[in-house]
Amino acid sequence: MYQFSLHRQLRQLMDFHTIDIHRESDELFYARALSNIATIHDLFVSLYGDHRKKDEYFQQLLHVIILAHANRRQGLRQKDWVKLQNEAAWFTSNELAGMSLYVDRFCGGLKNLPEKFPYLQNLGVNLLHLMPLFQSPEKESDGGYAVSDFRKVDGKFGTLDDLVMVQQKMETKKMYLMLDIVFNHTSHLHEWAAKAKAGNKTYQDFFYMFDDRTIPDQFEQSMPEIFPEAAPGNFTWVPECNKWVMTVFHNYQWDLNYSNPAVFVAMLDTVFFYANLGVDVLRIDAPAFIWKQIGTTCQNLPQAHTILQLLRQCVQVATPGMALLGEAIVAPRQIMQYFGDGLARGKECDFAYNATQMALQWDMLATGETNVMLAAQEVLQQKPLNTSWITYTRSHDDIGLGYEDAMISAAGFNAYEHRKFLQRYYSGEWEGSPAKGALFSVNAKTGDARLSGTLASLCGLERGLEEGNDESIEQAIQKILLMQANSFFIGGVPMIFYGDEVGYLNDYTYQEDAAKAYDNRWMHRPIIDWEKNSRSEVAGTIEYQIYQGVKKLLGIRKSLPVVADQNNLEWLHLDSKHLAAFVRSGAEKKPLYCLFNFSGSQSNLDLATIKVNGKSLIDHWTGITIEISAGGTLKFDGYQFYLLEEL
Ligand code: GLC
C-alpha cells in the first residue's frame, strides 16, 4: 500500500545521492523503488520490528539499495532492461545451458578461462557457474564455502580485475555468469569473526555466541547434524573469547545471525557488490539455514523465507536483471516453498535446484523403476510460472536421498530398506552393481547417508574400464546420456558438472591431502587434464562419445522453443514401470514426447497409449522417422531414450 512517509524518505535519500529521476534509467529505478518500498518495509518490519534501532537500519537498507543502483554501470542497466522486456522470464529460455566448474581445477586460474570459452560454447554451454572465488583459508575452505573476505578474489584464482575481465569477455560472447554468495556463514578468519574473537560485542552479535553450553544444549536437542562424521555437533568452542559459537557446517564456518538487522544490511550490500560485477544468477548458498530458533531443526523456518523475499524485493529494485537461485537441498515440499508461498508465491527465489528430481533419476537408474519418481511429481509440478529449476545429474556436492518417505511407500517400497538399497547400490556394495561411489556423511545414529562419486563412475564406467568389459562400457555411456537427456528436457536450466561432459572417473587422490581427506566429495571434483578433454574431438574415444552426445542433446534443446520452461510438462502414465515419459507442449508449438527406459532390459510401448495426433514422429536423438500405424509399438533397448516430435 502507498505510504507517503516512505515515499518522502525515498525521495530524500535519492536527492542525497543525487539520483535524478528525470534521467531515463534513474526514472525506471524510481518507479521500481516506489512500487516496492511498502513491501520492503513490511518484510523488514516483520523481521526486525522489535529491534530498538529498526528505523536506523531501515534507513541504511535504503541507502544500500540506492547506492547499488547508483553504482550500476550503464551497460548492466541496459542488460537489466532487455531481460525485463518479455513476459516470460529471461532465464526460462530453452537457449540457456550451464556448467558448474572450479576455475583452478578446470584451467588453473581466471586468466586462462577465456581461452576455454570455445570448448564450452562448442558444447552448447552459455552460463557458467564459477564455484566460490572469494578469499577462503586454504586448509579450512570447504571448497571455497568458508569465505574470509567477500570482496577479495582468492589469490589462487587471480584477482578481482581478472574476474571483471572474465565477466566482460563473457558478455561479449553472450554468456551468462553465475556466482555464489555464501550467505549463511563466514570463515572463522573473516574480519567480523576476528573482531568477535577479540571481544568486540558488536561483531559477536553478528554470530550466535554464548558464554556456556546452556543455550547451545537447548538448540542441539532439535538440530540435526549436517556433517556428522567430519564436524559433529552444531557449536564450537572459541578459546580466544571463551565462548561457544554456532557452526552448523564445519567448525570453521560460523553461522551469521540474521536476527540482527546489521547482518542483513551488510550481506545485502555484498549481494549488490556481486550484482554490479555483472552476475546474472546469484546462487544463495544454504538458504534453508539462515534463521535459527530453539526447539526447531533450524532449517526452512518462516523467517528464512521472509529474508529471501526481502532480498528479492531489494534486488528487483536496484539490480533487476540478476536472478536469485536458492540452494535449498531439502525435502520436496520444503524446496517448493523457496519459490514463495501464499501472497508471496513466485516472489522469493527465481530458481531452485531440482534436487528431488536429480536424486530420483538416480533412484530410477538403480531400481529400473519409475514409481517413486512419479509419486513426487504432484509436488514438483506446483512450481509457479516464471520461476525455474536448475536441473542436473551431478554437482560438486553429494547426492542426498531426501525425498519423502511417503513417496517411497506410495510406490510400494519400505522407505528404510529402499534407501539402504540405494546406498549399497551406489557405493558398489550391492552384488552386481556396476556403480563405484562412496557413502558420504554417514550418520551412525539415524542410518542416513548420502552419496559421492562422478556421473561416469556411478553409471558404471569406472568398473567397466577396470574389467575391460566393452559391453559394460557401452552401457555406462548409454546411461550417462540417458541421465543427461532426462535432466536437459524436464524443464529448467541444465547445469552440467564440469568433467561429466567427457566422463571423468572418481579421483581418489584427495585422500592424500589432509585439507581434503575428511571430505569424500573431493572424489568427484576432478582436475581437468586437457589432453583427455581434447579426445572429445577424436572419433571412437569414450570422451568423444559422451561429449558429442551431450553436445547433440543441448543442440536439440536449443532448437526447440517448446522446451522453454513454461510449466508445460505433462507426465504420461504408462503401463510399463520402466519407462519415464513426459510431453512438453505449448501454444503453436509441436509437442515433444520425451521417453526414457530406465531399465537395462528391453521394453515396448504401444504408441496408441501416448495419443499422438500426427501420422509420424521424428526422433531428434537418432534422426529416425517413426510411422504411426494402428497398433504400432516403439521398441526400447536397455537405457534407450527417444525425443519425439510430431511431423
Ligand atoms: C552448500 C554447498 C556445500 C557446502 C555447504 C556449506 O550446501 O553446496 O558444498 O559444503 O553449502 O557452505
Side-chain angles (χ1 to χ4, degrees), residues 123 156 169 207 309 319 339 369 423 432 452 482 607 630:
L123 182 65
K156 74 175 180 193
K169 291 230 159 103
F207 302 97
Q309 286 158 23
T319 61
F339 293 119
E369 297 187 10
Q423 290 166 8
S452 284
L482 170 91
L607 277 170

Side-chain angles (χ1 to χ4, degrees), residues 34-284:
L34 204 52
S35 46
N36 282 13
I37 192 166
T39 313
I40 291 178
H41 188 252
D42 287 349
L43 292 165
F44 183 86
V45 168
S46 90
L47 290 164
Y48 305 119
D50 293 335
H51 197 279
R52 70 193 162 84
K53 288 197 194 163
K54 63 172 184 302
D55 295 336
E56 203 178 295
Y57 282 114
F58 185 68
Q59 175 98 346
Q60 275 188 31
L61 177 139
L62 292 182
H63 271 294
V64 166
I65 295 176
I66 293 169
L67 276 172
H69 166 69
N71 294 334
R72 195 151 178 85
R73 66 182 148 89
Q74 200 48 36
L76 289 178
R77 290 184 188 182
Q78 260 154 13
K79 214 169 143 190
D80 288 341
W81 185 236
V82 172
K83 285 176 177 167
L84 295 177
Q85 299 290 303
N86 292 331
E87 220 170 283
W90 66 272
F91 50 80
T92 57
S93 161
N94 57 304
E95 294 184 11
L96 277 184
M99 180 181 280
S100 188
L101 59 91
Y102 289 97
V103 170
D104 54 338
R105 302 172 87 77
F106 185 68
C107 60
L110 284 163
K111 276 207 169 81
N112 307 333
L113 192 52
E115 72 197 42
K116 304 299 179 200
F117 289 168
Y119 171 86
L120 296 165
Q121 288 190 300
N122 179 43
L123 182 65
V125 162
N126 58 359
L127 165 70
L128 294 187
H129 172 209
L130 306 183
M131 297 294 293
L133 291 172
F134 292 91
Q135 189 174 283
S136 180
E138 200 195 329
K139 294 203 161 66
E140 297 172 320
S141 113
D142 188 20
Y145 285 102
V147 180
S148 53
D149 189 332
F150 287 115
R151 298 180 191 220
K152 188 166 174 230
V153 167
D154 198 296
K156 74 175 180 193
F157 303 111
T159 62
L160 192 60
D161 284 345
D162 295 335
L163 177 56
V164 169
M165 174 277 291
V166 165
Q167 191 278 333
Q168 282 168 356
K169 291 230 159 103
M170 287 176 71
E171 215 166 271
T172 61
K173 300 209 171 285
K174 298 208 167 7
M175 294 173 88
Y176 295 94
L177 175 64
M178 171 163 148
L179 290 187
D180 283 83
I181 179 154
V182 186
F183 202 69
N184 177 66
H185 42 260
T186 72
S187 154
H188 75 116
L189 298 182
H190 187 280
E191 184 193 350
W192 300 337
K195 287 183 177 163
K197 282 182 194 169
N200 183 322
K201 173 86 177 72
T202 302
Y203 287 96
Q204 289 184 346
D205 287 346
F206 268 46
F207 302 97
Y208 294 90
M209 297 197 101
F210 305 100
D211 292 334
D212 58 39
R213 287 287 316 181
T214 317
I215 297 177
D217 285 345
Q218 288 173 22
F219 266 113
E220 282 195 335
Q221 272 179 22
S222 51
M223 281 174 96
E225 292 170 307
I226 305 303
F227 298 134
E229 292 171 309
N234 284 284
F235 289 85
T236 299
W237 174 247
V238 187
E240 292 89 335
C241 59
N242 287 332
K243 284 183 192 290
W244 290 93
V245 69
M246 187 185 283
T247 53
V248 168
F249 292 89
H250 294 100
N251 57 12
Y252 51 79
Q253 289 164 307
W254 288 20
D255 286 64
L256 285 165
N257 180 355
Y258 281 94
S259 71
N260 177 355
V263 171
F264 180 79
V265 173
M267 291 305 282
L268 178 66
D269 200 34
T270 314
V271 165
F272 286 139
F273 175 74
Y274 295 158
N276 282 340
L277 286 175
V279 169
D280 297 287
V281 181
L282 186 68
R283 177 188 183 277
I284 303 173

Side-chain angles (χ1 to χ4, degrees), residues 614-626:
K615 287 208 168 67
S616 53
L617 294 160
I618 168 117
D619 177 26
H620 283 286
W621 177 237
T622 56
I624 291 170
T625 305
I626 297 161

